[in-house]
Amino acid sequence: MMSKTEAVVSADDRLSTFQSIYEEHGGYVRKTVYWLVHDDAVDDVVQDVFIRVWRNIDRFRNESSLRTWMYRICVNAAHEHFRRSPRVAEETKIHEPELPAHDEDALSMHEVIRKAILRLPAKQKSVFVLFYKQELSLEEVAESLGIPLGTAKSRLFNARNAFIEHLKRNGVDYEKQ
Amino acid sequence: MRNNDDAKLRSFLARHDMPPAPASRGEWNRILDAVENEESRSLFARALAFAKGRRMTFVAATAVAALLLAVVNQNLTSQPEAPTASSDDMTELYLADASQYFDESAEAPGDAYLELIDI
């Protein structure tokens, strides 16, 4: 059994490790979550990510790539958010109006892009965000999500087509922008 | 060809990127609060799992879990001996205080039934 002193030192070490992870990884965690959920959920999901980190912090120490773990946690927390709030997911899917063609002036290009990404199905969106926004390789994406490389490729292919199609419907040709 | 398309799309996305609103100053404190809540909830969950592992009815399991939790809480909240004049090092005070929350030996009753938490 751990001695009192060892337990105290371990607890202190755990907390300082946790804070270091937050300080080092908080920035890109927020950026990743931003592309996965709507504005009003970003803070909650980021918080959920770090609660999951806390739960699993002892396992992190043996991991070769903390970043890979962090991405997986971000994606899982975002999925959990939509699972808990199916109404939000449905509203995103069904009730969000299409922008009228060539009306991109109404929204900035950034908003058009974000909306197009947020409309992707959850599994495609995760792959798309990690590959195109976080610029991971396909192998890293597959590792982060714990899926076969072929599955990652297939999801990326479908996500990319859906994304470009959405842009086209809104009068945006990304190759000319 | 595909790599070229990917590079173009990445470049397009990067050109129109905008950083999300930065984290508020209180974010770290909110996370710590959430972790503290999480810790107290997980203690109860472990106690409940322990009781259910004994094939008790739900009501009995809940009662036993509450009892176990009370015992664990008793251990967690029992104050360590007041530091003597010779141990006035602030680090020791801090560590002694932290031990109330993180003394891992206090989690022993439920550990055998603790399922691995999937991230």
Side-chain angles (χ1 to χ4, degrees):
Chain A
M1 179 176 283
M2 199 182 291
S3 73
K4 181 94 175 173
T5 311
E6 283 172 329
V8 171
V9 169
S10 169
D12 187 50
D13 185 39
R14 193 179 186 212
L15 194 56
S16 65
T17 301
F18 182 56
Q19 184 161 7
S20 303
I21 290 173
Y22 173 76
E23 286 167 359
E24 187 178 340
H25 300 269
Y28 74 81
V29 163
R30 174 165 283 271
K31 281 184 186 171
T32 305
V33 169
Y34 171 79
W35 289 103
L36 296 173
V37 301
H38 294 273
D39 282 337
D40 57 357
V42 171
D43 284 342
D44 287 346
V45 175
V46 168
Q47 183 172 299
D48 188 27
V49 166
F50 282 99
I51 290 174
R52 288 163 188 245
V53 169
W54 173 262
R55 283 181 195 156
N56 294 279
I57 200 163
D58 295 325
R59 289 157 67 183
F60 280 137
R61 291 172 187 170
N62 298 322
E63 279 297 311
S64 56
S65 171
L66 186 54
R67 200 170 257 250
T68 300
W69 270 71
M70 298 297 291
Y71 281 129
R72 186 186 290 197
I73 292 176
C74 289
V75 168
N76 284 352
H79 285 185
E80 179 67 12
H81 162 72
F82 284 115
R83 196 185 67 76
R84 282 185 193 158
S85 318
R87 190 180 58 79
V88 175
E90 279 307 298
E91 282 174 358
T92 304
K93 203 188 310 176
I94 297 170
H95 301 297
E96 198 169 66
E98 287 287 325
L99 293 171
H102 305 290
D103 195 20
E104 68 270 32
D105 289 343
L107 293 171
S108 71
M109 182 65 77
H110 174 80
E111 288 170 315
V112 173
I113 289 169
R114 186 159 180 238
K115 192 163 277 197
I117 292 175
L118 287 173
R119 289 174 62 88
L120 293 172
K123 289 178 179 176
Q124 291 181 22
K125 181 165 55 183
S126 310
V127 175
F128 187 95
V129 167
L130 295 189
F131 184 81
Y132 285 116
K133 292 300 303 177
Q134 300 306 123
E135 303 201 352
L136 269 60
S137 68
L138 254 180
E139 289 76 11
E140 289 169 327
V141 171
E143 188 189 344
S144 291
L145 300 179
I147 56 177
L149 184 59
T151 305
K153 276 184 187 173
S154 157
R155 286 182 189 171
L156 186 66
F157 177 80
N158 291 326
R160 186 177 190 283
N161 286 346
F163 175 77
I164 291 172
E165 183 59 32
H166 182 83
L167 291 186
K168 280 183 182 167
R169 280 203 303 274
N170 289 287
V172 177
D173 181 349
Y174 82 92
E175 290 183 289
K176 293 179 182 168
Q177 294 292 322
Chain B
M1 181 64 184
R2 177 60 197 268
N3 287 343
N4 195 27
D5 289 344
D6 287 338
K8 276 185 192 171
L9 188 48
R10 278 180 173 174
S11 167
F12 165 75
L13 291 169
R15 277 200 306 280
H16 298 285
D17 195 19
M18 282 169 63
S24 65
R25 283 170 175 254
E27 182 177 82
W28 172 242
N29 286 335
R30 281 202 313 278
I31 287 172
L32 283 184
D33 287 345
V35 162
E36 195 176 349
N37 288 337
E38 166 78 10
E39 286 291 295
S40 61
R41 274 206 311 271
S42 71
L43 273 176
F44 183 78
R46 289 175 201 189
L48 188 60
F50 172 79
K52 286 169 92 174
R54 292 283 187 262
R55 295 178 182 278
M56 296 173 178
T57 65
F58 179 76
V59 173
T62 306
V64 171
L67 187 62
L68 283 171
L69 183 61
V71 171
V72 171
N73 275 340
Q74 180 77 21
N75 287 339
L76 285 176
T77 54
S78 60
Q79 292 293 323
E81 284 182 20
T84 62
S86 60
S87 61
D88 57 354
D89 183 336
M90 286 307 289
T91 305
E92 280 189 34
L93 282 174
Y94 167 71
L95 292 177
D97 183 53
S99 70
Q100 293 176 40
Y101 301 98
F102 301 112
D103 185 351
E104 292 179 8
S105 62
E107 296 174 7
D111 277 352
Y113 299 93
L114 175 62
E115 294 178 5
L116 281 178
I117 300 166
D118 187 12
I119 62 166

